[in-house]
Amino acid sequence: MSRPSIRARCLAAVVSAAALCTPPATSAPVRLDDSASPRYRVGAQVVLAENGRRLAEMPLAKTAEVRFGRVDYKLATAAYLGRKARIFYVVPANVPGLRAAQGLRADWRGLGRFAGGSAFAGQRQLVWNGTISEPWMVESIELTAHVDLQQVRWARDGHFAFEAYFEIEVLP
């Protein structure tokens, strides 16, 4: 069996050292802990049918606009202090009772540093980009959900709910 030449061994050592010094690509998204947020469950303040009247008054309505109002979040960002990162608002893909992703669209307006946006079930949207400078990121959004009532299979208790969340992606 032949031994690798000294030149081949040196080249392999240089390639290995370069791999160790190369900064990693963007990290995979990680769900941010929001358990310190002021309210765990946020109920709708107003639910309207497509004609602007209260949904309860419109038994044959096809769509609903669910206004949650201001939703406050306290995101644990201490593990990322000093790191460049992007934060995304995520509307979950699996919403109990939802038959199709297009049946639920969340719209929000940032009330602080977070950008506003819109996403269907199963999508995520960038809301913040920068360097994490504090152990807690406290932000608020004004949230409205638009629901195609023909795409919802109602639970026995008549409730429909989804839990949006935030993901962080650390940048090199």
Side-chain angles (χ1 to χ4, degrees), residues 110-125:
L111 300 176
R113 294 174 288 182
F114 281 179
S118 181
F120 286 99
Q123 293 182 330
R124 68 186 191 138
Q125 292 294 327

Side-chain angles (χ1 to χ4, degrees), residues 33-102:
D33 178 6
D34 65 354
S35 60
S37 296
R39 296 182 285 175
Y40 177 69
R41 292 192 144 188
V42 179
Q45 294 179 351
V46 177
V47 182
L48 303 174
E50 63 267 13
N51 62 1
R53 295 180 61 191
R54 293 201 178 272
L55 184 63
E57 301 168 5
M58 303 300 300
L60 301 177
K62 292 185 174 128
T63 64
E65 181 178 291
V66 185
R67 296 180 185 170
F68 294 97
R70 180 186 176 122
V71 183
D72 299 316
Y73 293 97
K74 186 174 184 181
L75 306 174
T77 53
Y80 309 99
L81 280 173
R83 309 278 308 268
K84 289 183 180 183
R86 297 187 298 192
I87 296 178
F88 297 86
Y89 185 75
V90 182
V91 180
N94 297 319
V95 175
L98 188 63
R99 295 180 185 158
Q102 300 301 311

Side-chain angles (χ1 to χ4, degrees), residues 2-43:
S2 68
R3 300 173 101 190
S5 69
I6 291 178
R7 183 172 186 214
R9 285 186 295 202
C10 288
L11 182 59
V14 168
V15 169
S16 295
L20 291 174
C21 296
T22 303
T26 303
S27 70
V30 174
R31 185 171 177 163
L32 275 171
D33 178 6
D34 65 354
S35 60
S37 296
R39 296 182 285 175
Y40 177 69
R41 292 192 144 188
V42 179

